[in-house]
Amino acid sequence: MPDDLFFDQTVPDVHQPYVAAPDRYTHLGYRRVGDSGLLLPPISLGLWWNFGDNRPFDLQREVLRFAFDQGITHFDLANNYGPPHGAAEENFGRVLRTDFRPYRNELIVSTKAGWPQWPGPYGDFGSAKYLRASLDESLARLQTDYVDVFYSHRVDSSTPIEETIGALDAAVRQGKALYVGISSYSAERTERAIAVARELHTPLVIHQPAYSLLNRWVEHGLLDVLGRSGLGAIAFTPLAQGLLTNRCLQQGQVHASGGRTTLSDADLTAENLERLQRLADVATRRGQTLAQLAIAWLLHNDRVTSVLLGASTVQQLAENLQAVHNTGFTEAELAEIDEITAADAGVNIWAQSSDL
């Protein structure tokens, strides 16, 4: 088993030319995305809130360099990530153009469209007009000819699913994406999307749902659909927007990121605090933090390809990476976790907009 030294938190001078660590592929291992040929690291880096103009660029660069040096090859974006919208793609594009340029063939870069991006009726949801225009804008901000995965970011019940999947298919045929994915689709809508994609021979290979110890909706049908259909799953908000952290438990407050959708202190009910404390007790017995337990529990499920984490510092990312070295659970531990998390914690803030 790798030891903690693999996640050395020493940060080199970001103003020096970047050369990737020669041992970067020895730390994490990689998992196949469903039945496709694509492999992802067990932990991927999401650029939702910490990579906009609200954070110094050099700090972002430190995290991105460190992530790649530790074997994180997948960087997940969307057209509305910032703030402001588009800023995360622009900032990552700067690093992609300079530091990561020699390594582009080693990277999986994903982006999405589906949430409001510009005024008027053509900058929201899942029409071909919006998805195709948004991808062109994303490629310009990223300063790359293609992305590895392009997602429909959310459900659009007013647009025929044939049109939405058709737009994803067009992105592949035009060479602007290698694979496509969907996010926050229900089990039923996912089956419909898969059927359309197969008819078109579209490489729909992955679903990105919210999934955590406190938000287990995917276990009520979606994971079964993905397993039967050969699609991978990458879990976002694995720490339930910060609820599943020792800091939240110790301070009794939710530190909302201020992004598109956030939790609030109202979600930190007495029942949820009790759940968190009991989960923290399990983590302590395992020699883990609460966050590490939450990540390891997701990775224990072989239907989860990757866990999508955000990080504002190298130290935060290094600590959470330790979870990959202890993903085994006893039957007693799993039963205890199931008992603790059996009741709905009320934190699935995407449900209303995702037909769940």
Side-chain angles (χ1 to χ4, degrees), residues 139-192:
L139 293 176
R141 287 189 289 265
L142 290 165
Q143 301 183 60
T144 186
D145 294 332
Y146 73 98
V147 291
D148 298 274
V149 186
F150 180 49
Y151 287 89
S152 167
H153 204 171
R154 66 163 169 167
V155 163
D156 179 359
S157 59
S158 298
T159 296
I161 200 162
E162 292 81 4
E163 178 176 341
T164 298
I165 301 303
L168 300 182
D169 179 77
V172 174
R173 295 183 185 279
Q174 292 169 357
K176 298 176 181 179
L178 300 183
Y179 305 91
V180 298
I182 53 180
S183 180
S184 297
Y185 281 39
S186 67
E188 179 183 3
R189 193 177 294 269
T190 295
E191 286 190 297
R192 292 169 56 195

Side-chain angles (χ1 to χ4, degrees), residues 200-268:
L200 296 173
H201 301 287
T202 309
L204 173 60
V205 300
I206 195 164
H207 189 299
Q208 187 175 126
Y211 187 22
S212 73
L213 280 166
L214 299 180
N215 181 15
R216 298 177 62 168
W217 72 272
V218 301
E219 297 171 8
H220 305 298
L222 179 60
L223 288 181
D224 291 336
V225 169
L226 300 180
R228 290 196 304 268
S229 304
L231 267 67
I234 178 168
F236 77 89
T237 64
L239 304 183
Q241 299 276 103
L243 276 177
L244 289 164
T245 63
N246 285 8
R247 184 179 68 170
C248 179
L249 186 58
Q250 291 162 359
Q251 298 182 2
Q253 291 182 321
V254 177
H255 295 268
S257 65
R260 160 173 56 82
T261 44
T262 60
L263 298 177
S264 70
D265 288 344
D267 297 291
L268 205 56

Side-chain angles (χ1 to χ4, degrees), residues 41-60:
I43 291 181
S44 300
L45 186 64
L47 280 66
W48 174 15
W49 183 251
N50 294 310
F51 294 85
D53 293 344
N54 58 329
R55 301 275 299 169
F57 177 72
D58 283 351
L59 292 181
Q60 300 178 35

Side-chain angles (χ1 to χ4, degrees), residues 296-315:
W297 179 81
L298 287 169
L299 291 175
H300 177 76
N301 188 334
D302 60 10
R303 291 181 295 182
V304 174
T305 306
S306 187
V307 172
L308 191 59
L309 290 178
S312 58
T313 66
V314 164
Q315 292 72 25

